[in-house]
Amino acid sequence: MTTASVFIAGQFRAASEATPVIEAATEQQLGLGSAATESEIDDAVAAARAALPGWSSAGAQERAGALRLFADALQKRAAGTFELCSRENGMPIRLSKGANGMFPAVLLRYYADLLDRSEAEEVRPAAIGHTIVRREAVGVVAAITPWNYPQALAIMKIAPALAAGATMVLKAAPETALDALVFAEAAEEAGLPAGVLNIVAGGPAAGAYLVSHPGVDKVAFTGSTAAGRVIAEACGRLLRPVTLELGGKSAAIILDDADLDATIKGLRSASFVNNGQTCHLSSRILAPRSRYAEVVDAVAGLADGLVVGDPLQKSTDIGPLVSRRQQQRVLEYIDIGKSEAKLVAGGSVPGDQPRGWFVAPTVFADVDNSARIAQEEIFGPVLTVIPYATDQEAIDIANDSEFGLGGTVWSPDVERATDVARAVRTGTIGVNEYQLDVNAPFGGVKSSGLGRELGPEGLAAYQVLKSIYRVGPA
Ligand code: NAD
């Protein structure tokens, strides 16, 4: 791609300003992404506003049909999309195939099916008279997404918002500006009405301008807790509804009866998925003191055995981090960890990766939960193994965190593990594995965010309720 584009009012336009998108594994330029200007954002918001009356008043069946055509057009492009995402951010291709390739179409069809089963109006009898309770579209949505799961995190906003009858301006992260335009190509092919979905890319300044834009009715943000706080403040001043999906530092609680082989198999994904660049990662491993040495050996063995390399190879477990900045940040945390705890695996850039922003899977043992490497989100392949004595102490350690996004509990006794899961203060948690479930709400408590995505709750996040009271029987 030689020119950067934005997608506004159903048209591709050459962007006024551009930034290079760099391939994580090769450090070569992949293409140019837009660096959206205020004037382009103004146009995108105006297009979304203009499209709102038609789209929000279209029948649910019409919108469901449009979402299915959009899903078909994305699915046709899936193979190219998931490879492009892996090149942009270093995600191992096996994971990208599902998360960036298949997931967007699956989620659009999920919300289309939900529309088929939902009623926009419900009549409730009152003491005198009755009330029609209506669900109306929230209006124009500003969606801001990060680079780590670019297609999945964008569609988690696009699909429910469009299903609800809202229109959108999506601002993609600069690192993954190219794949965002696949949504534009598919929207165009599917005949989505012009202005329903507008797409730009850009950095924090573009995001901040969009968040506070007078033409926006709701903000949906996924990213860091630091940026989430700034966005929440702006939305607070404007009394603008906002959904925030932020950072995490989740715990994997290995109970004392755990089958360690099965647990370690599960932790490959739960604790290392996407090179550690996953918000709900179980990055604190809580191990019973009675089996501490055994767990540390097993987790270190897992890290040492992961295949680090080209993200486009199916055999790769760990690809490069998204950028040099992210690699530096993770290496700085590893240095901090060396002064706080005992390094038992990894701890540096792998010697056999001459280019790309790789960090070897790293494990620290003898970690106190108050250490910075146990409290702060590192967002790389770095785990801490923390000892505990009783189930209650494990729960207390899991909860002793600024964050509350995810987590896992590991035991052959599923009911015991579920009781522990109930006691952990987090928005989402898995027993003996964790997989995102499109039918269940996803999101965090504490500094991990506000509101939920996915499931029927994800649709409700783009609706406002109106009660029309009427005299007389229902
Ligand atoms: P980031 O907050 O720096 O950037 C995320 C997006 O927000 C980018 O598009 C960026 O341009 C934009 N942005 C940054 N500052 C902004 C501001 N002040 N106003 C408006 N927009 C702004 O985050 P990142 O480093 O790109 O992504 C990693 C973070 O995202 C991690 O903390 C991770 O845990 C979090 N995350 C959370 C979830 C979740 O569902 N909870 C999912 C994935 C990632």
Side-chain angles (χ1 to χ4, degrees):
M1 186 183 286
T2 48
T3 40
S5 302
V6 291
F7 184 68
I8 295 173
Q11 307 276 329
F12 285 94
R13 282 196 207 167
S16 330
E17 292 176 21
T19 26
V21 178
I22 308 293
E23 181 166 5
T26 64
E27 304 180 30
Q28 301 296 306
Q29 184 170 320
L30 263 179
L32 287 174
S34 66
T37 60
E38 293 186 356
S39 141
E40 284 163 341
I41 292 171
D42 289 343
D43 289 353
V45 173
R49 273 243 85 79
L52 185 63
W55 183 249
S56 60
S57 61
Q61 294 317 306
E62 194 181 319
R63 287 203 299 274
L67 293 192
R68 290 191 176 100
L69 292 176
F70 190 20
D72 294 345
L74 282 171
Q75 190 172 327
K76 260 173 53 182
R77 292 165 171 76
T81 312
F82 71 74
E83 184 181 321
L84 175 60
C85 292
S86 283
R87 288 185 188 277
E88 287 172 320
N89 71 2
M91 181 185 289
I93 197 87
R94 287 197 319 264
L95 172 65
S96 194
K97 185 174 183 178
N100 295 308
M102 284 149 54
F103 184 75
V106 167
L107 199 66
L108 282 164
R109 293 187 185 120
Y110 169 80
Y111 279 109
D113 291 350
L114 201 61
L115 277 186
D116 288 346
R117 303 196 301 272
S118 321
E119 297 290 344
E121 294 190 354
E122 182 196 333
V123 178
R124 298 187 193 171
I128 306 166
H130 63 277
T131 298
I132 302 169
V133 179
R134 270 175 69 72
R135 291 176 187 279
E136 298 183 345
V138 70
V140 172
V141 176
I144 298 177
T145 47
W147 43 261
N148 61 332
Y149 288 80
Q151 289 277 308
L153 296 171
I155 205 71
M156 282 162 68
K157 296 166 178 50
I158 296 170
L162 269 49
T167 59
M168 177 174 281
V169 178
L170 169 68
K171 188 210 72 68
E175 296 85 348
T176 48
L178 302 179
D179 73 85
L181 289 177
V182 176
F183 289 119
E185 289 168 17
E188 192 178 45
E189 181 183 299
L192 205 64
V196 167
L197 178 62
N198 305 276
I199 300 175
V200 300
Y209 184 73
L210 178 60
V211 162
S212 295
H213 200 287
V216 164
D217 298 302
K218 174 187 166 114
V219 175
F221 173 75
T222 299
S224 62
T225 295
R229 285 188 207 284
V230 174
I231 289 169
E233 278 177 28
C235 290
R237 274 195 302 280
L238 293 162
L239 291 180
R240 181 166 289 174
V242 60
T243 308
L244 301 168
E245 298 286 356
L246 309 176
K249 190 76 185 182
S250 302
I253 302 178
I254 302 180
L255 294 181
D256 57 9
D257 60 355
D259 170 343
L260 206 49
D261 286 345
T263 302
I264 292 296
K265 234 186 229 164
L267 292 181
R268 280 176 90 89
S269 164
S271 296
F272 280 115
V273 65
N274 197 22
N275 319 329
Q277 299 174 132
T278 302
C279 51
H280 57 72
L281 209 70
S282 290
S283 53
R284 290 183 294 153
I285 311 290
L286 308 197
R289 281 194 191 278
S290 56
R291 300 180 67 185
Y292 189 69
E294 188 193 351
V295 172
V296 168
D297 281 354
V299 175
L302 165 66
D304 287 338
L306 292 172
V307 177
V308 179
D310 180 356
L312 302 181
Q313 293 296 320
K314 282 193 188 132
S315 55
T316 294
D317 297 312
I318 301 283
L321 301 186
V322 67
S323 61
R324 183 174 303 286
R325 185 171 138 243
Q326 189 67 13
Q327 184 196 40
Q328 288 309 320
R329 175 190 152 92
V330 173
L331 291 173
E332 279 164 26
Y333 270 110
I334 289 175
D335 275 346
I336 292 167
K338 286 175 182 168
S339 67
E340 290 182 322
K342 182 174 161 199
L343 180 72
V344 292
S348 58
V349 174
D352 57 353
Q353 299 298 334
R355 20 171 235 175
W357 297 301
F358 289 90
V359 173
T362 296
V363 180
F364 286 99
D366 301 343
V367 182
D368 189 278
N369 193 53
S370 63
R372 284 187 65 190
I373 55 166
Q375 287 293 328
E376 297 176 22
E377 185 182 47
I378 297 175
F379 227 53
V382 181
L383 305 186
T384 55
V385 191
I386 302 167
Y388 72 83
T390 61
D391 288 9
Q392 187 56 51
E393 195 192 1
I395 293 163
D396 292 344
I397 294 172
N399 288 340
D400 179 12
S401 171
E402 177 194 355
F403 300 107
L405 186 58
T408 44
V409 188
W410 305 84
S411 167
D413 184 342
V414 171
E415 290 312 319
R416 177 183 172 206
T418 306
D419 278 342
V420 171
R422 287 188 177 103
V424 177
R425 191 148 179 259
T426 184
T428 315
I429 191 159
V431 170
N432 293 328
E433 183 47 287
Y434 176 69
Q435 294 291 335
L436 205 66
D437 176 359
V438 296
N439 202 23
F442 175 82
V445 296
K446 301 195 274 183
S447 296
S448 291
L450 289 176
R452 294 292 180 268
E453 294 192 312
L454 299 177
E457 295 80 3
L459 181 65
Y462 295 96
Q463 294 171 324
V464 286
L465 295 170
K466 179 191 282 179
S467 294
I468 304 176
Y469 174 80
R470 297 197 300 191
V471 177

